[in-house]
Amino acid sequence: MDQVGNDTRTIGVFDSGVGGLSVLHHIRDTLPEARLVYVADSGHVPYGGRSAAFIEARAMALTRFLLSQGAEAIVIACNTATAAAALPLRKQFSKIPFIGMEPAIKPAVAATQSNVVGVLATVGTLESARFAALLEKYAGSVKIVTQGCPGLVEVVERGDLHSVEARRLVERYTAPLLQAGADTFILGCTHYPFLAPLIREVVGGQIALIDTGAAVARELKRRVDTELPPRVKLGEVGNETFHTSGDVARATRIVSQLWGADAVVEALPLVFR
Ligand code: DGL
């Protein structure tokens, strides 16, 4: 059987860096037989302060790479890239199911007791038209307090999940949400679930932390089951391949740390960088 084999489902997943690995864990649990191809666009991280046009161009290139690897469905494991590029991607590659990520406003609004929800996300996500539409649709009478978090993606990219700097940033960004009376925090960037233990230490156990990784994995499975022809050999064990547009040695270290197993990370071919 060749690498892209006919019997194995292939799912492409990309993010600006290693944040999407927080989603990949859920995908692995939900689709144990699938072959997962992950791209970290580490050569261009962070996306948070970049223009929508730049992110769209990167999303197009990464999608072309994933399709060249046999991907049949693609998870945009990045809230910022979903806000900037989900629509053009779906238009350009209309036969491919794309599953995007959005801050979990709807479940957070349902969960809050204080009627105040805090959103931690990148500036790009918070300033997007897609986020405004999400608030319009689901916020209702609940007060939504947003907080952009420059620097937080970078500490996760370094694997600094408990450093003094990470704690200082988490304290700075969560303080306004606590002050506003939020009892529910949305982790609106796929890097942030890796900081959940630190956030929990800083804000205490009474605040609910919500992210959409598990829901996205369930939605992926639903779409794979309904939209793609059956291909999975029952009992087959899936595998993962990792690629980066950045430094391979550095990515290998961080991917292995966050994936929880030794990972082989390959350089993204030059044409996609
Ligand atoms: N993981 C990306 C997200 O979900 C981070 C974006 C960035 O690189 O700033 O938004």
Side-chain angles (χ1 to χ4, degrees):
M1 190 167 76
D2 66 15
Q3 214 201 357
V4 180
N6 284 329
D7 301 317
T8 307
R9 177 77 68 211
T10 301
I11 307 296
V13 182
F14 75 85
D15 177 41
S16 61
V18 292
L21 295 172
S22 69
V23 185
L24 201 71
H25 281 288
H26 291 289
I27 296 173
R28 176 79 292 153
D29 291 346
T30 310
L31 294 174
E33 286 116 355
R35 174 174 174 261
L36 306 178
V37 184
Y38 184 89
V39 192
D41 199 11
S42 328
H44 302 282
V45 70
Y47 282 177
R50 304 254 195 199
S51 71
F54 179 89
I55 298 168
E56 182 183 327
R58 290 307 304 149
M60 291 286 171
L62 301 178
T63 294
R64 286 198 183 91
F65 169 72
L66 290 170
L67 295 177
S68 79
Q69 300 301 296
E72 298 160 274
I74 292 180
V75 178
I76 310 168
C78 177
N79 294 259
T80 314
T82 299
L87 287 179
L89 284 173
R90 288 182 177 126
K91 198 166 163 209
Q92 177 79 20
F93 305 98
S94 57
K95 293 198 169 53
I96 300 294
F98 283 94
I99 294 83
M101 316 256 332
E102 286 175 337
I105 300 290
K106 192 180 172 191
V109 163
T112 180
Q113 300 288 312
S114 68
N115 258 7
V116 184
V117 165
V119 186
L120 299 165
T122 68
V123 172
T125 296
L126 296 175
E127 288 182 349
S128 67
R130 209 179 166 99
F131 183 69
L134 205 58
L135 290 188
E136 180 72 27
K137 193 164 172 194
Y138 296 118
S141 61
V142 169
K143 182 174 174 195
I144 310 287
V145 185
T146 62
Q147 178 64 54
C149 306
L152 222 47
V153 163
E154 288 90 327
V155 298
V156 176
E157 287 292 318
R158 289 198 295 271
D160 278 351
L161 305 183
H162 292 280
S163 68
V164 172
E165 189 195 349
R167 177 178 284 271
R168 193 176 51 77
L169 288 171
V170 166
E171 282 169 354
R172 188 202 301 168
Y173 294 141
T174 55
L177 308 184
L178 293 171
Q179 227 153 41
D183 65 349
T184 306
F185 288 7
I186 295 172
L187 306 183
C189 166
T190 53
H191 283 73
Y192 303 167
F194 289 117
L195 292 168
L198 178 61
I199 297 172
R200 175 70 59 224
E201 266 178 51
V202 170
V203 304
Q206 72 286 3
I207 303 290
L209 303 179
I210 298 190
D211 78 87
T212 50
V216 162
R218 283 196 301 274
E219 173 65 3
L220 169 67
K221 179 168 168 33
R222 188 190 68 75
R223 296 199 54 191
V224 161
D225 288 347
T226 54
E227 293 176 34
L228 299 179
R231 281 179 87 183
V232 174
K233 251 191 196 169
L234 286 179
E236 191 149 307
V237 178
N239 60 56
E240 306 86 32
T241 56
F242 300 96
H243 307 264
T244 180
S245 59
D247 182 79
V248 170
R250 186 185 150 106
T252 301
R253 184 173 63 79
I254 305 297
V255 170
S256 299
Q257 177 189 343
L258 299 182
W259 185 243
D262 283 346
V264 176
V265 180
E266 291 173 28
L268 199 66
L270 267 180
V271 64
F272 301 108
R273 284 192 240 167

